[in-house]
Amino acid sequence: DAGITQSPRHKVTETGTPVTLRCHQTENHRYMYWYRQDPGHGLRLIHYSYGVKDTDKGEVSDGYSVSRSKTEDFLLTLESATSSQTSVYFCAISELAGVETQYFGPGTRLLVL
Amino acid sequence: AQTVTQSQPEMSVQEAETVTLSCTYDTSESDYYLFWYKQPPSRQMILVIRQEAYKQQNATENRFSVNFQKAAKSFSLKISDSQLGDAAMYFCAYSNTDKLIFGTGTRLQVFP
């Protein structure tokens, strides 16, 4: 199994508070991704990174920001959480661009009250 | 824009039988990759099988095989000799750049 961890695994927060989710990898893969999973939508890409300090937006990036200061860590921040951001968040990594297999972390369940 | 469609929200199969999950996609590209991921109740996303569009031969992984019809833009997953542990959500995904595009998933139930 690819070495990917996510923290926290579960979080409950209130509307308007900032939230940061962390993805950590031990595989030294270049590409890292953040997805959200909602019923009826499958997985949708929020942001991705193609190197340290190199990031780009995905399909559903509004309300989210990311940072990658080290190869192994990719942070997802909800600046001011809203109830519509209640979801399960997955981090994924891949060695090369998306044509290579992506390996997923265990997911973080976030509830915004 | 590329899209991936899974038209079967739920499927069921008897243990030891065969089931086929459907997936269609839309793209104007000629080179791309297609994937099937499995998500059991643990929520872990697990790669089942991968197909490179330039390869005409259908990919196979043990009991899992695909029927890749490039002209029809169809990529179905066949599970043979179904087992109780195959019960999960199955997602079809497409990629030709640095992003995966997922379908909405098919929930597979396996009955003993």
Side-chain angles (χ1 to χ4, degrees), chain A residues 52-66:
Chain A
V52 174
K53 298 189 188 305
D54 293 323
T55 64
D56 204 352
K57 295 179 180 180
E59 177 187 358
V60 289
S61 59
D62 287 348
Y64 301 94
S65 62
V66 291

Side-chain angles (χ1 to χ4, degrees), chain B:
Chain B
Q2 294 92 355
T3 58
V4 177
T5 301
Q6 294 180 251
S7 59
Q8 306 155 316
E10 293 190 1
M11 293 281 287
S12 61
V13 63
Q14 204 90 25
E15 201 174 5
E17 297 295 308
T18 295
V19 65
T20 298
L21 308 184
S22 300
C23 173
T24 59
Y25 58 94
D26 188 27
T27 184
S28 58
E29 304 293 333
S30 57
D31 291 330
Y32 49 87
Y33 292 75
L34 297 164
F35 305 82
W36 279 98
Y37 280 89
K38 171 186 178 181
Q39 186 179 44
S42 66
R43 290 206 314 259
Q44 182 71 47
M45 292 289 287
I46 303 165
L47 178 69
V48 175
I49 203 163
R50 174 176 177 265
Q51 175 79 43
E52 298 161 4
Y54 63 87
K55 289 187 177 180
Q56 292 187 341
Q57 186 174 6
N58 289 325
T60 298
E61 287 289 340
N62 301 314
R63 298 182 294 108
F64 298 86
S65 61
V66 298
N67 182 6
F68 173 48
Q69 302 289 327
K70 191 172 183 179
K73 297 180 183 175
S74 172
F75 183 60
S76 59
L77 175 69
K78 186 173 80 171
I79 306 174
S80 304
D81 186 25
S82 296
Q83 301 175 0
L84 295 177
D86 294 334
M89 282 289 288
Y90 286 82
F91 292 97
C92 178
Y94 162 99
S95 176
N96 81 314
T97 56
D98 46 7
K99 305 169 194 174
L100 273 180
I101 300 169
F102 285 88
T104 52
T106 295
R107 182 174 301 282
L108 178 66
Q109 293 181 302
V110 182
F111 295 103

Side-chain angles (χ1 to χ4, degrees), chain A residues 7-23:
Chain A
S7 59
R9 294 292 312 279
H10 303 272
K11 185 170 183 65
V12 180
T13 190
E14 294 187 349
T15 298
T17 60
V19 176
T20 295
L21 308 183
R22 179 182 184 236
C23 176

